[in-house]
Amino acid sequence: MSEFPTLLSPITVGTMPLRNRVMMPPHTAPLGPLWGTDEQAAQNIAYIRRRCEAGVAWIVNITGHIDNLFVPGFTPVGIGARTSGYFRLPHFHDRVQAYTEAIHAAGSFTTVQLVSQGGLPNAPSATLSSPVLNAVPHVLDRDEIQWYVQEFGWSAHAAQRAGADGIDLHLNHDDLMEWFVSPLVNTRDDEYGGSLDNRLRFVREILRDIRERCGSDFTVGVRLNMFEEAPGGYDLEEGIEIARRLEATGMVDYLSLVAGSNWGNPSYIQTHVYPPAAWAELSGEFVKAVDLPIAYAGRVTTPEVAEQVLAAGQAHVVGVARALLADPDWVAKAAAGRSGEIRPCTGCDDCISSVIVERTAFACAINPHAGTESTVDWPVPATTARDVLVVGGGPAGLEVAALAAERGHRVRLWEASDRLGGLLRTASAAPTFDGFGTFLDWQERRVRSLGVDVRLRMRVEVDDVLAEAPDILVVATGTAPRRPGVPGDDLPFVHDVRHVLDGSAPVTGRVVVVAQDDHVAPLAVADHLAGLGHAVTIVYATLGPAPLLSRYAIGGFLARLETLGVRIRTSEQVARIDPGEVSTRRVYSQRPGDPIPADTVVLACGGVPQGDLAVRLRGRVPAVHVVGDAFAPRRQIYATREAYALVAGME
């Protein structure tokens, strides 16, 4: 019998007889839009096809923004704001037809989301939905509302003509439709506002127009926030009533449920700060309340978690996105009884943050093959097997070793400490970071199963490498702690974040964290220490904390720290550290800040590259490469990308 009998059992949703209960929500727009160049469209389709061929039953991958209604010359701004949508593009039909044909050929089905995300600048009322967005919208009149109703209906029919099996109405995440339903945002006093029945009128009219155009032989679903987290929005009880009334229209075939917003706690793209499937129990209340199939999405990380949600009656289908980004064979491995081999998603959300904040190419921190499906069939056997020596067993070194072994090279991996994983292993000691340790355990099993010769406690010198005479040397030796260079940063009560997290540095009393790291490290160590009962203050010179975390990621971290009483001071530099006190100055005025009492100071200041072994061996080994933090300290997502680029060209 299958280990996952419910997950792998068939179900019919609307007109779609699904072979299992796995649905993949949208997440590939940064990969290369279906509407972009021919190459981008081909990559997008190849990414989807790969996962369908490995067993995913239902794809909801197209975030189909409809056209918007603006006065000539208006420039929309904000989340999801755009003038033109996708459905009226001249190549919409051909691109979506190629996409749907690839999905159907693999035995899967697809629905297309209909989105007017952000509603900017259009809304039911001149009311704001989020405390972090302040653009006041235009209030739609009745004629404009009807324009949107018809545009939604026309767009749904365009998706149907292109071969889609159905559509997914996006009634969440600050979509225009959610704004109409929300008692917080919709303050109208006409037939579209006031009572819940009136607030649902816009959605009912859209559903009716879609059904009139597309008929009954077409699946129509609604993606719904179970509750609005902003005070004044609808709560869970009203969310369930919305579900009941949508079902009562007779025009809806399923509900797809999520929790979270574009900015808050939770975000709908939940990081490892939250447990897996944290809101599935609430989804179960909808299962009890309506007879429609319910899909639940929100950190469904493993087949075990998925089976638990489904077997408990909390949903009929599970949405899995980032876990399928991490491992396209997630379903196939579950079906084959090999779930332990699934490359585990860590929930770091750098697949989102790096694209949104740093504008880098789509990538996954743990799967370097994501985004290469149309160009590379990995592994590519090496033309000549080489002797490869990797020095350093952190994220970069581990990935290089595994990839090189997969290509057929003979690989040795030397690590100075008694465990593999580097600073990522150290970070796994922080609260909610245990998933990174799980990933490193998986990575260690991987390299050993590939026959990599792993040696620990190897402090490598030049002569050690020369004695081995490798064809290729890869230096992945990471960093040394970096100090901020202020008076007192070498006092005995001042410790680096890595030594605090590994337990080798004593921490007493009141703690000041010096944050010269733009990602999660200062937040993580503050969480760790506040959880142990310390009064913690973080000092940032930046305008806000963790500027490299996207709006989808930072809310959960800040909510935890606020709950623990952690204080965050921004636009301040640490100027001096003295026994019992940290002095600061304001970044822009250079005026002194209020002194901060401190018994312990923790430096979250990043690291200094330690790649000098490569310098000393260039010209003495046939090929010498530096990768990861040893070249320039960044994050795992960059180390993984560098490892792949290096090994892909290794001949």
Side-chain angles (χ1 to χ4, degrees):
M1 292 183 63
S2 169
E3 186 181 353
F4 310 106
T6 318
L7 176 67
L8 299 175
S9 64
I11 185 174
T12 296
V13 176
T15 61
M16 304 183 298
L18 307 176
R19 57 191 171 188
N20 57 52
R21 309 294 182 101
V22 180
M23 176 264 282
M24 191 170 80
H27 64 280
T28 66
L31 170 66
L34 196 59
W35 333 108
T37 65
D38 290 343
E39 291 76 15
Q40 288 175 318
Q43 176 52 60
N44 197 301
I45 292 170
Y47 176 94
I48 297 298
R49 181 193 297 114
R50 172 74 175 80
R51 284 145 182 84
C52 290
E53 290 171 347
V56 177
W58 177 10
I59 302 293
V60 194
N61 190 59
I62 294 178
T63 303
H65 294 272
I66 69 168
D67 274 14
N68 268 326
L69 183 63
F70 303 128
V71 297
F74 185 88
T75 302
V77 295
I79 298 171
R82 52 184 35 81
T83 50
S84 299
Y86 303 142
F87 293 89
R88 294 184 181 272
L89 291 173
H91 53 301
F92 173 86
H93 182 88
D94 291 345
R95 291 283 174 86
V96 175
Q97 187 173 58
Y99 164 89
T100 57
E101 286 175 352
I103 291 169
H104 293 154
S108 306
F109 295 85
T110 184
T111 52
V112 173
Q113 275 194 349
L114 263 62
V115 180
S116 183
Q117 191 175 40
L120 298 171
N122 298 320
S125 308
T127 311
L128 302 177
S129 64
S130 161
V132 297
L133 298 174
N134 295 304
V136 177
H138 163 73
V139 178
L140 294 171
D141 63 31
R142 289 180 177 86
D143 290 341
E144 292 168 332
I145 289 172
Q146 289 308 307
W147 184 94
Y148 271 105
V149 168
Q150 293 171 32
E151 192 64 23
F152 272 106
W154 189 93
S155 300
H157 194 213
Q160 184 184 38
R161 293 194 303 270
D165 301 294
I167 58 95
D168 194 79
L169 275 182
H170 194 265
L171 206 162
N172 60 346
H173 312 339
D174 275 354
D175 187 279
L176 180 61
M177 285 181 285
E178 182 187 3
W179 282 8
F180 266 89
V181 174
S182 170
L184 171 65
V185 182
N186 186 347
T187 60
R188 300 175 73 101
D189 58 6
D190 62 5
E191 68 271 28
Y192 290 98
S195 69
L196 177 57
D197 191 56
N198 280 357
R199 285 185 274 122
L200 277 167
R201 188 181 304 277
F202 180 51
V203 178
R204 288 199 308 271
E205 290 178 352
I206 291 170
L207 287 168
R208 188 175 303 114
D209 196 275
I210 290 171
R211 282 302 185 192
E212 288 174 356
R213 294 174 189 265
C214 300
S216 59
D217 191 26
F218 189 63
T219 301
V220 176
V222 174
R223 195 174 200 218
L224 178 69
N225 264 359
M226 292 184 281
F227 59 89
E228 292 185 297
E229 63 195 75
Y234 67 79
D235 58 13
L236 179 67
E237 182 179 356
E238 190 168 22
I240 292 172
E241 182 58 28
I242 291 169
R244 288 195 180 104
R245 296 194 188 197
L246 289 172
E247 180 183 34
T249 66
M251 295 183 285
V252 175
D253 294 309
Y254 70 86
L255 297 174
S256 179
L257 302 181
V258 292
S261 70
N262 284 317
W263 56 270
N265 173 39
S267 153
Y268 72 90
I269 308 172
Q270 292 137 20
T271 69
H272 56 82
V273 165
Y274 308 95
W279 287 271
E281 187 175 349
L282 301 185
S283 173
E285 297 303 309
F286 287 78
V287 173
K288 297 173 188 175
V290 300
D291 292 327
L292 296 173
I294 298 292
Y296 170 80
R299 284 214 77 211
V300 179
T301 51
T302 66
E304 289 79 8
V305 170
E307 180 67 24
Q308 181 180 344
V309 169
L310 296 167
Q314 296 170 341
H316 304 98
V317 175
V318 289
V320 182
R322 286 167 294 170
L324 284 163
L325 170 59
D327 195 329
D329 295 317
W330 193 93
V331 177
K333 289 176 180 177
R338 297 163 45 218
S339 64
E341 297 178 24
I342 292 173
R343 188 190 303 252
C345 173
T346 60
C348 69
D349 267 18
D350 246 8
C351 53
I352 304 295
S353 291
S354 62
V355 172
I356 290 177
V357 180
E358 296 167 281
R359 303 294 182 185
T360 59
F362 180 81
C364 174
I366 63 171
N367 178 13
H369 310 295
T372 69
E373 289 83 358
S374 67
T375 56
V376 179
D377 185 15
W378 190 269
V380 180
T383 304
T384 303
R386 304 292 186 184
D387 287 314
V388 179
L389 173 59
V390 181
V391 180
L398 278 166
E399 193 62 43
V400 167
L403 292 170
E406 286 172 350
R407 291 203 62 197
H409 296 295
R410 298 177 293 272
V411 184
R412 286 158 288 179
L413 174 61
W414 291 355
E415 164 59 33
S417 72
D418 59 357
R419 292 196 75 181
L420 296 173
L423 287 181
L424 193 62
R425 180 71 72 180
T426 303
S428 67
T432 81
F433 279 70
D434 52 301
F436 294 89
T438 300
F439 165 71
L440 289 171
D441 293 342
W442 177 89
Q443 189 77 303
E444 182 170 356
R445 293 195 301 271
R446 176 188 178 200
V447 296
R448 292 187 185 278
S449 69
L450 287 166
V452 174
D453 179 7
V454 178
R455 303 182 194 178
L456 303 176
R457 304 181 185 88
M458 289 285 294
R459 296 201 171 272
V460 181
E461 300 295 339
V462 168
D463 289 344
D464 299 319
V465 176
L466 294 176
E468 293 290 320
D471 299 315
I472 300 171
L473 171 67
V474 179
V475 176
T477 43
T479 65
R482 173 178 169 268
R483 294 185 178 272
V486 299
D489 69 2
D490 57 351
L491 290 170
F493 58 88
V494 180
H495 308 296
D496 187 78
V497 59
R498 64 190 76 188
H499 301 138
V500 171
L501 287 174
D502 70 16
S504 63
V507 177
T508 60
R510 301 159 297 181
V511 178
V512 171
V513 176
V514 181
Q516 292 186 5
D517 183 310
D518 292 336
H519 208 251
V520 298
L523 305 179
V525 73
D527 190 349
H528 171 67
L529 293 172
L532 295 175
H534 295 281
V536 180
T537 300
I538 314 176
V539 181
Y540 279 95
T542 49
L543 288 172
L548 293 185
L549 288 182
S550 77
R551 60 181 178 268
Y552 300 107
I554 195 166
F557 287 102
L558 295 183
R560 284 182 62 88
L561 297 185
E562 288 170 8
T563 301
L564 290 167
V566 173
R567 299 179 61 197
I568 299 177
R569 290 169 58 162
T570 59
S571 297
E572 287 189 60
Q573 288 177 289
V574 170
R576 182 180 183 87
I577 301 170
D578 292 299
E581 184 177 271
V582 171
S583 301
T584 70
R585 63 175 173 267
R586 302 294 297 174
V587 168
Y588 299 105
S589 68
Q590 301 300 311
R591 298 179 66 181
D594 294 332
I596 310 172
D599 303 298
T600 303
V601 174
V602 177
L603 304 179
C605 299
V608 178
Q610 298 293 291
D612 59 309
L613 182 66
V615 175
R616 289 183 283 153
L617 282 162
R618 284 202 176 102
R620 306 179 72 181
V621 173
V624 178
H625 303 279
V626 183
V627 69
D629 285 0
F631 177 76
R634 292 296 184 267
R635 302 191 304 282
Q636 185 186 358
I637 194 168
Y638 298 111
T640 304
R641 182 182 298 171
E642 293 164 20
Y644 179 77
L646 171 61
V647 177
M650 191 180 284
E651 297 293 350

